Amino acid sequence: MRKVFAIIAVLVLGAVSVPAMAITSEQQNSIKENCSSIKETLVSLQHTDARHRLNVGRYYEIILNKFIVPLNLRLVDNNTTNAELVANQSNFSETRAKFNNDYIIYQQNLEELVAINCEEEPVKFYEKLETTREKRKAVRQDMAKLKTLADKQMSLVSGLKEKTE
């Protein structure tokens, strides 16, 4: 049982990255033998990621539409524009759009991966798994950048507050 979980962890989480062309016969056999468990894990991951995307996406939307944009509009109304805040708003908005797009591409890849019969086509399955890992990595990078931009916004607002006091 531990072996099955170890194989699933390696396949799903990408703990060991082997180029798609270098799949060994041992890996092929492991994929074939554990196909149903792998599929169950991938479907579970699919549902978890969809819920997480919804929550995180809503969070980013709230940050942008309830915090960043209103502050910049207020500053414009008061003839106190701040180029850094405007640039951060633009970067946040662009990164949020990229996150949405990258997530859609990742989800499509994950759906295609789940649709592959891993017992009959372990090499094709593994190749798609590698592609899906890369798409998931892009989503993680977008999320990290959004967090950095949100932190930067807080820092810029704190600096603006100190200037006005």
Side-chain angles (χ1 to χ4, degrees):
M1 192 65 165
R2 287 179 155 225
K3 182 180 177 184
V4 171
F5 287 119
I7 292 168
I8 291 170
V10 168
L11 289 172
V12 173
L13 301 176
V16 177
S17 182
V18 177
M21 295 304 198
I23 185 170
T24 66
S25 59
E26 183 179 306
Q27 288 171 315
Q28 288 182 37
N29 291 335
S30 292
I31 290 170
K32 287 178 184 179
E33 290 172 10
N34 300 298
C35 184
S36 61
S37 297
I38 293 168
K39 291 270 186 149
E40 286 176 24
T41 302
L42 289 172
V43 169
S44 176
L45 177 69
Q46 198 172 24
H47 295 300
T48 301
D49 280 356
R51 281 191 306 273
H52 184 67
R53 168 25 189 117
L54 183 66
N55 292 334
V56 170
R58 192 175 300 133
Y59 176 70
Y60 295 145
E61 185 176 338
I62 289 169
I63 290 173
L64 183 62
N65 295 326
K66 303 268 183 192
F67 181 65
I68 295 174
V69 172
L71 175 63
N72 285 340
L73 290 174
R74 180 74 183 248
L75 290 172
V76 168
D77 286 344
N78 293 328
N79 294 322
T80 315
T81 59
N82 183 307
E84 287 181 295
L85 285 169
V86 172
N88 198 59
Q89 176 183 333
S90 178
N91 288 337
F92 194 92
S93 183
E94 289 170 9
T95 305
R96 184 174 156 264
K98 186 176 182 315
F99 164 76
N100 289 338
N101 187 52
D102 286 347
Y103 181 81
I104 290 167
I105 292 169
Y106 158 68
Q107 195 64 19
Q108 290 169 343
N109 272 267
L110 187 55
E111 287 173 15
E112 292 168 6
L113 176 64
V114 170
I116 296 172
N117 185 336
C118 49
E119 289 177 356
E120 293 178 11
E121 300 179 288
V123 174
K124 181 179 178 182
F125 180 84
Y126 189 79
E127 289 170 352
K128 190 62 175 182
L129 177 64
E130 287 292 302
T131 303
T132 305
R133 283 179 182 159
E134 290 302 314
K135 303 303 179 191
R136 192 166 202 252
K137 182 179 176 183
V139 171
R140 278 195 315 265
Q141 289 170 341
D142 293 340
M143 290 173 63
K145 186 172 180 184
L146 284 165
K147 182 187 179 324
T148 299
L149 291 169
D151 291 343
K152 182 177 180 181
Q153 180 73 18
M154 292 299 294
S155 176
L156 291 170
V157 169
S158 293
L160 182 65
K161 184 178 175 186
E162 288 174 8
K163 282 183 187 178
T164 59
E165 290 181 341

